[in-house]
Amino acid sequence: MAVKITKAEKKVNYDKKLCKLLDTYQQILIVGADNVGSNQLQMIRKGLRGDSVVLMGKNTMMKRSIRIHAEKTGNNAILALVECLVGNVGLIFTKGDLKEVSDEVSKYKVGAPARVGLIAPIDVVVPPGNTGLDPSQTSFFQVLNIPTKINRGTVEIITPVEIIKKGEKVGSSESALLSKLLIKPFSYGLIVQSVYDNGSVFSPEVLELTDDDLVARFAAGLTNVVGLSMILDYPTLAAIPHMFINAYKNVLSFAIATEYSYPQAEKVKEYLKDPSKFAASAAPVAAAPAASAKAAPAKVEKEEPEEDEDDFVGGLFD
């Protein structure tokens, strides 16, 4: 006959399991488990089997075990998990890629009917079309102000109607109607609320970032650094090239406005005195596209050469 385990022994065993997982894994997904059944949870465990472990439990027990384990081991980084244990949540310990594990968890969602009293997680819209219900059922539609007509002995919805808004409680009429239409508007599963990685806790949206997103954000930050450096006249590695160019432009402007001169400024002064020299120097550049246009029978739109100010100034050093 099997020996029945007491509640105290269960708590001790749970504490040992949680502490062992905290020592073994450095990456943890904190997931919300509202309206997730035991069968659904078992399917998720099977899907993650191999490099991930799902652990559910009471928040008070998990918080207590984490605090005591942090005191014993001196690993205070895990205390960041305590603030995340709010509501009906669980922990997924993993050694795999966090994005892949998160995507795998999101696959296991089960459709659920709109039960009376539930808070709607999304807007619920009844689509137009034939409902298959007999005309005696029109009272449900009239209560919810849904326009209908009788078509071939059945009730037909004319236009799509939003009967439940996100955040509202499901009423008895809405629940009965959706049940008659065999519509399961809600889907439930484990939802990643926070991500723990080596002592850092961050939002799951970070997992959706791509390399292009990181490059774009870095470029935006670099632009801000350059702009601030230029305003404050504080040299930084990113702003120094722009500062040199602006300084050279000031020196060049001073040389043009006065009799002071230097070799590179002489070229600019010659162009300003006789603009035809500038047109002559640009002619060979325009000749190359013209020659290629003659060689190719296809129509090619002729583009006028453009002279960029920075390229022109930079060419003076050659």
Side-chain angles (χ1 to χ4, degrees), residues 3 5 7 22 24 48 61 74 76 83-84 86 88 92 97-98 153 165 178-179 189 197 253 282 295 300:
V3 179
I5 302 176
K7 289 184 178 181
L22 290 172
T24 306
L48 297 176
M61 190 181 299
N76 293 325
E83 297 180 359
C84 301
V86 179
N88 186 16
I92 298 179
D97 183 84
L98 289 171
K165 291 184 178 181
L178 293 172
S179 178
D197 189 3
S253 300
V300 178

Side-chain angles (χ1 to χ4, degrees), residues 112-114 124-127 175 177-186:
V124 179
V125 178
V126 176
S175 177
L177 176 61
L178 293 172
S179 178
K180 287 180 178 294
L181 297 177
L182 302 179
I183 296 176
K184 293 183 177 180
F186 305 146

Side-chain angles (χ1 to χ4, degrees), residues 76-235:
N76 293 325
I78 61 175
L79 292 175
L81 289 169
V82 174
E83 297 180 359
C84 301
L85 300 177
V86 179
N88 186 16
V89 297
L91 303 176
I92 298 179
F93 298 83
T94 181
K95 291 183 178 179
D97 183 84
L98 289 171
K99 177 67 168 62
E100 294 178 358
V101 175
S102 178
D103 292 341
E104 184 67 22
V105 170
S106 64
K107 292 179 183 178
Y108 297 92
K109 289 189 176 181
V110 178
R115 296 188 178 89
V116 179
L118 283 179
I119 303 298
I122 58 172
D123 296 331
V124 179
V125 178
V126 176
N130 197 307
T131 64
L133 301 176
D134 59 81
S136 64
Q137 306 291 330
T138 55
S139 59
F140 287 103
F141 300 96
Q142 293 174 355
V143 171
L144 298 172
N145 297 321
I146 299 177
T148 59
K149 66 178 181 179
I150 305 302
N151 185 15
R152 297 181 181 180
T154 58
V155 178
E156 182 177 329
I157 299 175
I158 300 174
T159 58
V161 179
E162 183 182 62
I163 62 171
I164 306 174
K165 291 184 178 181
K166 181 179 179 180
E168 292 182 349
K169 281 188 177 183
V170 179
S172 57
S173 299
E174 292 88 346
S175 177
L177 176 61
L178 293 172
S179 178
K180 287 180 178 294
L181 297 177
L182 302 179
I183 296 176
K184 293 183 177 180
F186 305 146
S187 60
Y188 297 109
L190 295 181
I191 300 175
V192 179
Q193 296 180 349
S194 302
V195 181
Y196 172 90
D197 189 3
N198 290 311
S200 300
V201 178
F202 49 87
S203 172
E205 283 76 13
V206 176
L207 301 178
E208 303 297 329
L209 293 176
T210 62
D211 291 342
D212 293 337
D213 295 329
L214 295 176
V215 170
R217 295 194 178 194
F218 177 79
L222 188 62
T223 301
N224 293 335
V225 171
V226 172
L228 183 62
S229 299
M230 298 291 286
I231 293 174
L232 300 177
D233 290 330
Y234 183 82

Side-chain angles (χ1 to χ4, degrees), residues 223-279:
T223 301
N224 293 335
V225 171
V226 172
L228 183 62
S229 299
M230 298 291 286
I231 293 174
L232 300 177
D233 290 330
Y234 183 82
T236 60
L237 187 61
I240 283 177
H242 301 277
M243 289 181 171
F244 272 113
I245 292 174
N246 289 340
Y248 178 76
K249 288 179 180 179
N250 293 335
V251 173
L252 181 60
S253 300
F254 178 79
I256 293 172
T258 63
E259 295 182 355
Y260 174 78
S261 184
Y262 55 94
Q264 287 78 12
E266 286 296 332
K267 293 182 181 180
V268 178
K269 289 182 177 182
E270 289 179 8
Y271 285 135
L272 294 176
K273 289 179 181 179
D274 187 3
S276 61
K277 292 183 179 180
F278 177 77

Side-chain angles (χ1 to χ4, degrees), residues 281-296:
S281 64
V285 179
S292 61
K294 290 181 180 179

